[in-house]
Amino acid sequence: MNKRIYTHPILENLSTNEEISFSFNSETLSAYKGDTIATALLANQIRTLRYHEESGSPRGIYCNIGHCFECRVTVNDYPGIRACLTLVEEDMVITSGKKLPQPLKHGGEENA
Amino acid sequence: MLDAMIIGAGPAGLSAAISAAQHGLHVEIVDEYYQPGGRLLGQLHQEPDGEWWNGIEETEKLLEQIESLHITIHCSTSVYDLQKVNKKWVTYTDQGNWESQAVLIATGATESPTPIPGWTLPGVMSIGAAQVLTNVQRIQPGERGVVIGVNVLSFAIARELQLAGVDVAGMLLPPPHLLSKSEGVPQEVLSSLLRFSHLAPSVLMHRGAPFVKGRLAKNLVTAFYPEKGMGVWGIPLQLRRTALEIKGKNQVEGIRVAKVNRKGELRNAITHDIDVDFVCIAGGLSPLAELAAIAGCKFIHEDALGGYVPVHNEKMETAVSGLYVAGNITGIESAKVAISQGTIAGLVIAKSLGARMINGKINEALQEVESRRAAATIQFHPHVISSRESLYKTKKTQ
């Protein structure tokens, strides 16, 4: 579970935010204004942002500050967008990268 | 054309912009992140006097000055090249190019990864990622997790996770391999921990600290270190346990740990699994210096500064004319040091472009760096001061 931290013993309380809606892999979800794509999805308990192009293994955020590019997603048909650096916007359409076909690998055998 | 372009809106970049603009320079700042502050934003720790160092408040203080000086910060702007063209610097970004007489690179640091089987599973993240999630973005990285890698940064952040209600089931050593080096050896880790024992209200740590100087003493302290670990703020600090593998199908479900001996070697591989839903990997920080490399800086490797740093002097000048560096790109130190390094850089750039300033202003700023360095609560390496002295001596003779 990835819960929001509304109250904190030292830091100020999280002020309730304006809700916005967006879609991820065709599912309509809501988030707070000011969320990145990554935190918007975490708040919806979604950790997998993409599947590795070759192995198909699930990937989520790793560094969360734009260095590692593990969190890249497609936003409004624009690929390679870092979910950790990009603020979610109303009606944004986000999709995950999928495992790509590998016609030349292992003589072209499917799933070899 | 700008007088100076500043790359990085963290503590060094912001303070440089302030001191340069206070002396009449037209400066602008670019930063890849969506809000200014850099990694200062996430910092939250208690100073020895009991006061909290709150990175969000410290950032706000800097931003108030930025605003009153009308300095523009371009967020969400990625720099991909930096070149001198016809005696002008050109900063190439995904939002267009800027020309300037001088450039300050204040790009900070990056975390060194420590690869462990299973580390690509969603739910595994760098310790810094967990800090940003928790303190800046206010979402828990998970319900219950472990931290792999015991160092000053992971120690401070484990505490921050706990403050935000996250269950930290333990701090473990990385598996012994080439990349983890001494970070997988209990003796070495313990002696590095004792350097910041003031952060941990724990009897053994306080008692151990004065004795850490000699090798024999270090061995004794490690020998008496409880095999099952000890609680620091209630977090089990397990210097005799190493993380072998992160388990899970579609995300983190657990971690397999093994007992190690005092040298960090696996002992008959007795393993057990801990249920967790997130894992933080803490491999330490190193300067983020690619832009300095493409701009033509020479580099030097200094362990005490966190790795390769662009050759520079105490006035934050590189050997390339019109190119300056400040903050963690010059070596891994605290944000307070970065802020005062930024002040120097801003003043030195202003002076080089003919700005008038009070005599001794730069010397005053140089002294400020030294005193902040000496008083640093979080010191990343015991030889920072001597390493800097030798670097700056080398630079003078060149």
Side-chain angles (χ1 to χ4, degrees):
Chain A
M1 277 291 281
N2 298 90
K3 290 185 198 141
R4 293 208 196 256
I5 303 159
Y6 290 99
T7 59
H8 193 284
I10 314 294
L11 299 172
E12 278 180 26
N13 290 340
L14 182 64
S15 46
T16 41
N17 252 301
E18 196 185 319
E19 283 208 13
I20 53 175
S21 75
F22 67 101
S23 87
F24 180 67
N25 293 338
S26 306
E27 190 185 350
T28 302
L29 302 168
S30 72
Y32 285 157
K33 198 172 179 197
D35 267 327
T36 62
I37 294 172
T39 61
L41 291 170
L42 281 178
N44 284 282
Q45 310 312 318
I46 294 170
R47 288 178 162 192
T48 299
L49 299 172
R50 55 179 263 268
Y51 295 89
H52 189 266
E53 291 81 352
E54 184 184 357
S55 69
S57 62
R59 302 297 173 97
I61 56 159
Y62 180 74
C63 80
N64 198 27
I65 55 167
H67 295 175
C68 75
F69 281 75
E70 275 289 88
C71 66
R72 55 192 187 268
V73 289
T74 297
V75 176
N76 300 337
D77 294 327
Y78 207 104
I81 301 295
R82 285 169 285 179
C84 71
L85 290 186
T86 308
L87 295 178
V88 73
E89 288 170 16
E90 184 73 39
D91 298 330
M92 206 177 227
V93 178
I94 304 158
T95 51
S96 290
K98 304 259 181 308
K99 183 179 176 177
L100 299 174
Q102 294 152 31
L104 301 177
K105 210 178 175 189
H106 304 297
E109 283 174 50
E110 194 61 30
N111 300 322
Chain B
M1 184 169 70
L2 297 171
D3 291 323
M5 172 51 95
I6 293 170
I7 302 170
L14 293 176
S15 71
I18 292 165
S19 69
Q22 280 170 342
H23 289 84
L25 262 57
H26 181 202
V27 302
E28 291 189 5
I29 310 174
V30 285
D31 194 291
E32 191 170 40
Y33 207 58
Y34 58 88
Q35 66 186 69
R39 300 287 69 79
L40 172 59
L41 285 171
Q43 294 182 8
L44 186 64
H45 62 257
Q46 213 162 4
E47 301 281 12
D49 63 4
E51 283 293 305
W52 285 89
W53 172 260
N54 178 339
I56 293 172
E57 286 177 1
E58 296 302 322
T59 303
E60 279 166 5
K61 285 182 203 164
L62 292 166
L63 290 177
E64 275 170 27
Q65 295 185 71
I66 291 282
E67 206 169 308
S68 69
L69 290 160
H70 308 291
I71 299 165
T72 305
I73 304 177
H74 306 271
C75 288
S76 301
T77 302
S78 305
V79 177
Y80 62 85
D81 198 4
L82 187 56
Q83 282 185 35
K84 208 167 197 181
V85 182
N86 298 330
K87 295 185 178 173
K88 282 178 262 176
W89 282 100
V90 185
T91 304
Y92 298 86
T93 85
D94 60 355
Q95 305 294 318
N97 307 332
W98 277 273
E99 288 181 351
S100 59
Q101 300 206 59
V103 169
L104 171 69
I105 311 179
T107 42
T110 187
E111 275 193 71
S112 311
T114 305
I116 291 161
W119 78 316
T120 59
L121 282 168
V124 182
M125 67 195 81
S126 74
I127 190 79
Q131 183 183 48
V132 173
L133 283 179
T134 305
N135 295 346
V136 183
Q137 300 170 328
R138 301 294 287 270
I139 186 157
Q140 294 179 341
E143 264 176 272
R144 183 171 196 257
V146 291
V147 176
I148 302 173
V150 180
N151 53 48
V152 63
L153 186 69
S154 69
F155 208 62
I157 298 175
R159 170 69 165 151
E160 294 166 15
L161 291 172
Q162 197 191 37
L163 281 175
V166 177
D167 181 6
V168 182
M171 298 186 70
L172 312 165
L173 298 182
H177 58 50
L178 266 176
L179 283 170
S180 58
K181 291 182 213 154
S182 63
E183 288 154 24
V185 182
Q187 280 176 353
E188 300 297 327
V189 173
L190 186 62
S191 66
S192 73
L193 275 184
L194 293 173
R195 282 192 293 112
F196 50 89
S197 59
H198 58 275
L199 288 175
S202 143
V203 177
L204 179 72
M205 305 290 275
H206 276 306
R207 282 194 186 155
F211 303 114
V212 73
K213 300 217 158 59
R215 168 68 58 175
L216 176 68
K218 206 194 288 179
N219 286 345
L220 281 174
V221 173
T222 324
F224 289 117
Y225 193 86
E227 198 209 80
K228 286 189 171 169
M230 51 184 269
V232 180
W233 301 307
I235 300 170
L237 181 59
Q238 292 168 320
L239 299 184
R240 299 287 291 279
R241 296 286 186 279
T242 189
L244 283 187
E245 186 186 352
I246 300 161
K247 320 258 300 181
K249 193 167 177 286
N250 295 314
Q251 61 173 329
V252 174
E253 291 166 22
I255 184 156
R256 177 154 293 177
V257 301
K259 236 184 241 185
V260 289
N261 66 19
R262 279 188 281 139
K263 289 176 182 163
E265 298 155 347
L266 289 170
R267 195 203 284 163
N268 303 328
I270 303 165
T271 64
H272 67 281
D273 293 348
I274 308 173
D275 287 339
V276 290
D277 72 342
F278 80 98
V279 172
C280 294
I281 295 180
L285 298 171
S286 58
L288 183 62
E290 290 95 331
L291 280 173
I294 59 171
C297 285
K298 279 198 283 183
F299 276 74
I300 185 166
H301 189 274
E302 284 286 339
D303 277 336
L305 299 179
Y308 284 97
V309 295
V311 173
H312 63 282
N313 63 16
E314 65 269 47
K315 289 181 171 176
M316 307 289 107
E317 297 165 313
T318 70
V320 180
S321 158
L323 189 67
Y324 302 80
V325 285
N328 272 1
I329 187 176
T330 75
I332 305 306
E333 292 190 76
S334 75
K336 285 184 186 172
V337 172
I339 289 171
S340 36
Q341 283 182 318
T343 303
I344 295 178
L347 293 174
V348 171
I349 293 170
K351 186 141 198 193
S352 79
L353 297 179
R356 287 177 175 209
M357 62 184 68
I358 304 161
N359 263 349
K361 188 94 185 162
I362 291 174
N363 277 337
E364 200 180 290
L366 287 168
Q367 276 162 17
E368 172 86 3
V369 168
E370 280 183 25
S371 63
R372 284 191 165 185
R373 182 169 287 141
T377 307
I378 291 187
Q379 202 183 54
F380 288 86
H381 198 284
H383 304 305
V384 166
I385 292 174
S386 58
S387 175
R388 290 233 180 245
E389 278 170 2
S390 80
L391 172 66
Y392 297 154
K393 241 178 253 166
T394 321
K395 183 64 179 48
K396 269 179 199 158
T397 56
Q398 271 175 352

